[in-house]
Amino acid sequence: MFKAVLIEKDDAGYRAAVKELDEAALPEGDVGVRVEYSSLNYKDGLAITGRGAVVRKFPMVAGIDLVGTVESSAHPGVAVGDKVILNGWGTSEVHWGGLAQRARVRGEWLVPLPAAFTPRQAMAIGTAGYAAMLCVMALERHGVVPQRGEVLVTGASGGVGSVAIALLSRLGFTVVASTGRPQEADYLRELGASTIIDRSELGLPGRALGKERWAGVVDTVGSHTLANACATTLYRGTVAACGLAQGLDFPASVAPFILRGVTLVGIDCVMAPREERIEAWSRLARDLDVHKLERMTREIGLGEVVDTAAALLDGQERGRIVVDVDR
């Protein structure tokens, strides 16, 4: 038997709770993992609370992240005793996820835990930090360098935003942090932000084109914020979009793209190729200051996940949340 955050939907309604489950109930997969830590991301909050249509099969074990030790393997690239990480791949949607003490998954979904990180640090990064690294890599591929100008990070006090600021500042970029939580200004500056702006500057309906300001953007918010970020990006600048905290809509025009040559890059961290994942984790091991990582992280137990998921969606949490699945 093992403990897990189980999401159920039936005639009694939609609910999530910590349950004891039989290992025989684990889904198909060629690798069994003893989970050590998981994390709580925005997507996990949507799944656990039912505020977003994330879960597509019930019952479902929540959690898009896990780190742990391989206990059994029929996959040629994964050996018993390996320390491994999983991010995404449909976990918590169509396949049981990592907010559990045990998992059975496909070996090709796993990447090795970098030697630079402890298991806890890997989940302090989690999908949010891995997505932030994918955003930074996208900006770099499209020629965004520190000399070109400021980089905007929206939803700055969240998990993706916090890691993005830490990464970009260490790489020499001047970072502008957009947040709806002015009380977090000192925290954002500690991570490396040079300037803090209120999210209202970008979050309301705006013009098709605004004054050019950003060489690059990491957007976790979507909707009007993303539209305004594109409208104020420099000529041939790049916007990496990876979130939807404000909404799925994109009320913009083509003006930034055809008049200024702005590039909008969509960042998918769920189904990204394994090679790209390994590159991202390698870059995180090189470019992320673990002291800043600790500053942005707090730890909870499995039994605190359901309540914390609601608080996360309500904007009451900042940075990263690590889950110790054994408490």
Side-chain angles (χ1 to χ4, degrees):
M1 302 293 288
F2 67 98
K3 292 182 179 179
V5 175
L6 188 71
I7 304 170
E8 299 175 279
K9 183 181 180 182
D10 51 30
D11 292 342
Y14 190 105
R15 60 199 181 277
V18 176
K19 296 285 186 74
E20 287 257 355
L21 304 175
D22 194 317
E23 288 190 41
L26 286 167
E28 291 185 3
D30 52 10
V31 176
V33 180
R34 172 64 174 93
V35 180
E36 296 173 41
Y37 291 94
S38 185
S39 75
L40 193 62
N41 301 276
Y42 192 85
K43 187 174 181 179
D44 295 317
L46 292 173
I48 290 166
T49 63
R51 296 189 201 176
V54 173
V55 181
R56 288 182 274 166
K57 290 176 63 178
F58 296 91
M60 175 60 61
V61 171
I64 61 174
D65 286 337
L66 67 80
V67 64
T69 303
V70 174
E71 291 188 316
S72 63
S73 177
H75 190 280
V78 181
V80 172
D82 284 354
K83 295 284 190 180
V84 292
I85 299 168
L86 185 146
N87 307 113
W89 290 118
T91 51
S92 197
E93 297 179 56
V94 296
H95 193 95
W96 283 14
L99 283 166
Q101 295 171 323
R102 294 287 190 281
R104 187 180 294 137
V105 298
R106 293 171 59 176
E108 59 264 35
W109 295 348
L110 302 170
V111 298
L113 172 68
F117 298 129
T118 65
R120 185 184 183 279
Q121 288 171 334
M123 287 298 96
I125 296 167
T127 286
Y130 148 67
M133 189 73 249
L134 291 178
C135 289
V136 172
M137 289 162 54
L139 296 183
E140 291 174 339
R141 281 197 306 272
H142 288 85
V144 179
V145 293
Q147 296 78 10
R148 284 214 63 202
E150 297 173 313
V151 174
L152 170 70
V153 177
T154 68
S157 61
V160 177
S162 294
V163 179
I165 291 168
L167 287 168
L168 288 163
S169 63
R170 188 166 188 180
L171 291 168
F173 289 92
T174 300
V175 182
V176 177
S178 170
T179 181
R181 304 175 69 188
Q183 69 272 23
E184 301 294 1
D186 289 343
Y187 162 77
L188 296 171
R189 289 191 181 95
E190 288 174 17
L191 295 183
S194 298
T195 305
I196 315 298
I197 64 173
D198 192 273
R199 67 183 178 194
S200 62
E201 292 189 30
L202 297 164
L204 300 174
R207 294 159 48 184
L209 281 177
K211 183 179 179 181
E212 296 178 61
R213 182 167 181 183
W214 331 109
V217 178
V218 174
D219 178 65
T220 71
V221 177
S223 191
H224 292 291
T225 299
L226 176 57
N228 288 324
C230 291
T232 50
T233 294
L234 295 175
Y235 179 75
R236 296 221 165 179
T238 300
V239 178
C242 67
L244 47 72
Q246 188 178 12
L248 276 167
D249 59 322
F250 183 44
S253 82
V254 298
F257 312 113
I258 64 174
L259 298 180
R260 290 184 180 160
V262 170
T263 298
L264 176 58
V265 184
I267 304 300
D268 164 43
C269 57
V270 176
M271 304 301 289
R274 187 170 186 272
E275 296 75 17
E276 193 170 332
R277 294 165 181 266
I278 291 173
E279 180 186 359
W281 278 99
S282 175
R283 286 289 306 276
L284 284 161
R286 187 187 82 188
D287 297 329
L288 182 61
D289 183 338
V290 293
H291 299 293
K292 289 184 178 179
L293 180 65
E294 186 60 32
R295 176 74 179 88
M296 69 180 78
T297 302
R298 81 178 187 96
E299 182 179 313
I300 64 173
L302 200 62
E304 300 168 80
V305 164
V306 174
D307 288 342
T308 308
L312 175 64
L313 295 190
D314 291 338
Q316 298 172 12
E317 297 287 341
R318 75 176 188 194
R320 297 289 298 131
I321 302 169
V322 170
V323 182
D324 181 345
V325 298
D326 289 324
R327 71 174 182 86

